[in-house]
């Protein structure tokens, strides 16, 4: 967490290969701590980042690994592209055919995890902990079409996710039974 103006000059030797790891959690103030699986061997291979509040606070961990051999130039610019380590989820509900508006639904996504330990060498989650079913938030209400906020899914790629609407009203009709959409698959 810094800016180019406040970062010290990094001098690199020509003829040597360097690995640059760039990661982000989408915050200008919070940066997850780096831990090592072997404190006596603090290398990239043993380095992990522990990310918390993934599902409840929408922490979108992004990662990039770039290996470079600096050229003989006065200033070397590192160009890198961050990729998402978690999947995303957005819900769209369309009631236009009914002619009625939808009151804000209460819904959640199960089999999601709120924390992960991510390998800095590969950018992949090693472990996931703290199972949660976070609420899916709809920022608007009383419209014939509703779109939820973007939610982060920290889970394995399998068909075990379930989206459940426990409360919703279309016009004057409130649902009496939960609407369950099972067997959703998150692709990492």
């Amino acid at each position: 967490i810094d800016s180019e103006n406040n970062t010290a000059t990094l001098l690199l030797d020509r003829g040597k290969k360097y690995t640059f790891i760039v990661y982000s959690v989408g915050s200008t103030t919070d940066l997850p701590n780096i831990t090592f699986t072997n404190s006596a061997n603090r290398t990239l291979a043993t380095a992990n980042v522990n990310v918390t509040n993934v599902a409840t606070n929408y922490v979108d961990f992004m990662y990039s690994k770039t290996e470079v051999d600096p050229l003989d130039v006065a200033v070397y610019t590192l160009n890198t592209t961050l990729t998402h380590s978690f999947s995303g989820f957005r819900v769209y509900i369309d009631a236009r055919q009914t002619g009625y508006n939808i009151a804000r639904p209460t819904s959640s996504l199960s089999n999601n995890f709120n924390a992960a330990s991510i390998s800095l060498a590969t950018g992949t989650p090693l472990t996931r902990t703290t199972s949660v079913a976070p609420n899916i938030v709809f920022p608007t209400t009383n419209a014939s079409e509703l779109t939820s906020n973007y939610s982060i899914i920290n889970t394995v790629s399998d068909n075990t996710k379930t989206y459940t609407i426990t409360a919703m009203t279309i016009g004057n009709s409130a649902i009496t039974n939960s609407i369950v959409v099972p067997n959703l698959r998150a692709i990492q």
Side-chain angles (χ1 to χ4, degrees):
I1 297 178
D2 214 334
S3 67
E4 289 181 26
N5 295 335
N6 297 329
T7 304
T9 301
L10 179 62
L11 300 176
L12 304 176
D13 293 329
R14 283 180 294 205
K16 291 189 177 180
K17 190 175 190 178
Y18 293 88
T19 301
F20 289 92
I21 303 296
V22 179
Y23 67 93
S24 170
V25 292
S27 172
T28 59
T29 57
D30 296 323
L31 192 63
N33 292 328
I34 297 174
T35 60
F36 296 89
T37 56
N38 181 349
S39 59
N41 184 25
R42 296 169 60 107
T43 65
L44 181 58
T46 67
N48 298 326
V49 173
N50 297 313
V51 183
T52 59
N53 299 320
V54 174
T56 55
N57 289 348
Y58 315 113
V59 175
D60 190 6
F61 183 84
M62 294 183 289
Y63 171 89
S64 175
K65 178 180 179 179
T66 306
E67 294 181 351
V68 297
D69 184 0
L71 303 172
D72 189 15
V73 294
V75 176
Y76 183 82
T77 301
L78 178 67
N79 292 309
T80 189
T81 301
L82 295 169
T83 57
H84 298 273
S85 292
F86 304 129
S87 297
F89 185 75
R90 189 181 310 269
V91 177
Y92 172 74
I93 301 173
D94 184 348
R96 288 179 296 177
Q97 289 184 345
T98 68
Y100 295 105
N101 287 340
I102 308 164
R104 185 174 292 136
T106 302
S107 63
S108 63
L109 180 69
S110 69
N111 294 320
N112 201 349
F113 293 91
N114 212 30
S117 179
I118 300 170
S119 166
L120 273 184
T122 63
T124 57
L126 301 172
T127 60
R128 293 176 167 90
T129 57
T130 316
S131 181
V132 293
N135 291 331
I136 304 301
V137 176
F138 290 83
T140 60
T141 189
N142 294 323
S144 59
E145 300 173 81
L146 297 181
T147 302
S148 73
N149 288 343
Y150 184 78
S151 298
I152 303 297
I153 302 172
N154 172 21
T155 188
V156 295
S157 296
D158 62 16
N159 296 345
T160 63
K161 272 50 78 195
T162 300
Y163 175 66
T164 304
I165 300 174
T166 55
M168 181 172 64
T169 301
I170 299 177
N172 293 326
S173 299
I175 64 167
T176 55
N177 296 312
S178 294
I179 299 171
V180 179
V181 182
N183 305 320
L184 296 175
R185 180 172 185 220
I187 299 173
Q188 299 293 342

